[in-house]
Amino acid sequence: MNTVPVAEIKHMAVHDGPGMRTTVFLKGCPLHCIWCHNPECISAAPELLFRAARCTACRRCEAVCPHRAHRFTLNGHEFRRGLCDGCSACAEVCPAGALTLCGRSAAAGELYDELMEDADFYRISGGGVTLSGGEPLLYPAFCRELFAVLGRAGIHRALDTSAAVPWEAFETVLPETDLLLVDFKHPDSGRHRELTGQDNRLIRENLRRLQAAGVPIEIRIPLVPGCNDAPEELEAAAGFLAELPCVVRVKLLAYHSFARSKYEAVGRPDTMPEVPSPDGDEMEAAAARLRARGLAVLL
């Protein structure tokens, strides 16, 4: 039985493919984008999320923790993450949701039952299920197993991927996939490494190989000021993407820093750029550069 670490299941999603969808976020990612909006999905291991602002100082966590990872002082609730082994005993007794375990293990059959609770919404809206993350293609056998049973039920299946995975992972899942949502973060390999921890050669190779797969691709570009929004960067990205007939559209996603609090919750250094979100004019200008190469662009 294939099981995966699930970070979150988002119901009634409208930005992860056509129609109304349920999006399953899996933990584990080969990239470390400095603007990552889901830092709790970078590691595949279960992690305790601590949101200090929600703590009511009931001290139940302190009472049940076998490793004394929680203690209360005059300065408030101190969570010593280095002592935590992820047993989740504290999360189970926290009444305020200040402590939650991110990364429950789930099998395809278990998720299928939960996802099918929204089946009427999928059918009414032309929606379906999206696997996201993190990187779902770290678990290709699971993805194929879940998509296969969803397909037999007539549910549309979308896969949101960085494409920074071996081609064999795509080969496993493509026969059961209706739509690929593929991130394209930067056209230059060296700059891509600076921003994400890896160059983009594997991503480019996979996108070229996907031409023969017959699965439509929506490219997603997070527009991050100072990182990938310069005219020459956008034109280089457009030049490459315009050569891929399987790309049905490009969606530009405006950078924002709303996820900054997640870094503190998961205990990671905040790497999000200190830049404003691009405004409407900046988004339109970026879209125009892509459209000039014949690409269909959504904002």
Side-chain angles (χ1 to χ4, degrees):
M1 180 182 297
N2 295 305
T3 62
V4 293
V6 176
E8 181 186 7
I9 297 180
K10 182 179 179 181
H11 299 271
M12 309 302 175
V14 294
H15 300 294
D16 301 324
M20 193 173 292
R21 312 188 70 80
T22 301
T23 302
V24 182
F25 294 88
L26 305 184
K27 281 176 61 63
C29 187
L31 301 181
H32 292 78
C33 305
I34 64 171
W35 57 73
C36 179
H37 284 52
N38 295 315
E40 74 280 12
C41 293
I42 295 174
S43 171
E47 296 174 291
L48 193 70
L49 306 185
F50 174 47
R51 297 176 175 87
R54 298 184 185 179
C55 179
T56 60
C58 70
R59 305 185 71 153
R60 295 181 190 179
C61 56
E62 185 181 44
V64 301
C65 180
H67 303 294
R68 298 184 178 179
H70 303 278
R71 69 178 180 184
F72 289 78
T73 69
L74 293 177
N75 294 322
H77 184 170
E78 180 185 352
F79 174 40
R80 296 177 287 181
R81 190 174 291 276
L83 299 178
C84 176
D85 68 353
C87 73
S88 78
C90 59
E92 292 170 7
V93 300
C94 179
L99 295 161
T100 55
L101 186 67
C102 179
R104 68 179 174 96
S105 182
E110 174 188 352
L111 285 179
Y112 173 80
D113 291 339
E114 182 173 351
L115 296 171
M116 289 303 290
E117 293 176 4
D118 293 337
D120 288 343
F121 295 104
Y122 309 150
R123 295 184 176 117
I124 292 170
S125 68
V129 171
T130 299
L131 288 181
S132 186
E135 176 51 72
L137 283 180
L138 292 180
Y139 315 99
F142 165 85
C143 293
R144 178 165 182 146
E145 181 182 355
L146 179 60
F147 274 4
V149 293
L150 288 170
R152 288 196 289 272
I155 305 301
H156 184 273
R157 305 151 298 178
L159 185 73
D160 187 357
T161 175
S162 69
V165 295
W167 174 248
E168 291 74 19
F170 278 104
E171 286 185 310
T172 299
V173 180
L174 284 173
E176 299 293 345
T177 303
D178 299 306
L179 174 66
L180 289 169
L181 309 175
V182 182
D183 295 341
F184 194 77
K185 304 171 191 297
H186 201 284
D188 180 76
S189 192
R191 184 64 172 145
H192 193 280
R193 179 182 291 278
E194 292 174 4
L195 296 171
T196 73
Q198 286 192 28
D199 63 44
N200 66 8
R201 288 177 293 181
L202 180 58
I203 296 168
R204 283 174 169 264
E205 178 184 346
N206 283 335
L207 282 168
R208 291 189 182 101
R209 297 181 76 169
L210 284 167
Q211 298 309 298
V215 178
I217 295 175
E218 177 183 294
I219 293 291
R220 305 188 139 202
I221 300 178
L223 197 66
V224 187
C227 293
N228 64 354
D229 66 334
E232 62 272 17
E233 293 169 323
L234 290 167
E235 288 167 7
F240 172 71
L241 297 173
E243 298 174 355
L244 306 175
C246 62
V247 173
V248 295
R249 58 188 164 269
V250 177
K251 187 166 187 177
L252 283 177
L253 306 171
Y255 168 78
H256 61 75
S257 59
F258 300 154
R260 200 175 293 281
S261 62
K262 290 186 177 184
Y263 285 82
E264 182 179 2
V266 78
R268 284 185 172 274
D270 181 355
T271 59
M272 299 193 81
E274 294 278 0
V275 295
S277 299
D279 61 27
D281 290 342
E282 291 168 325
M283 293 295 290
E284 287 291 350
R289 292 189 182 278
L290 301 177
R291 289 175 181 139
R293 297 301 298 264
L295 295 165
V297 182
L298 298 177
L299 296 176

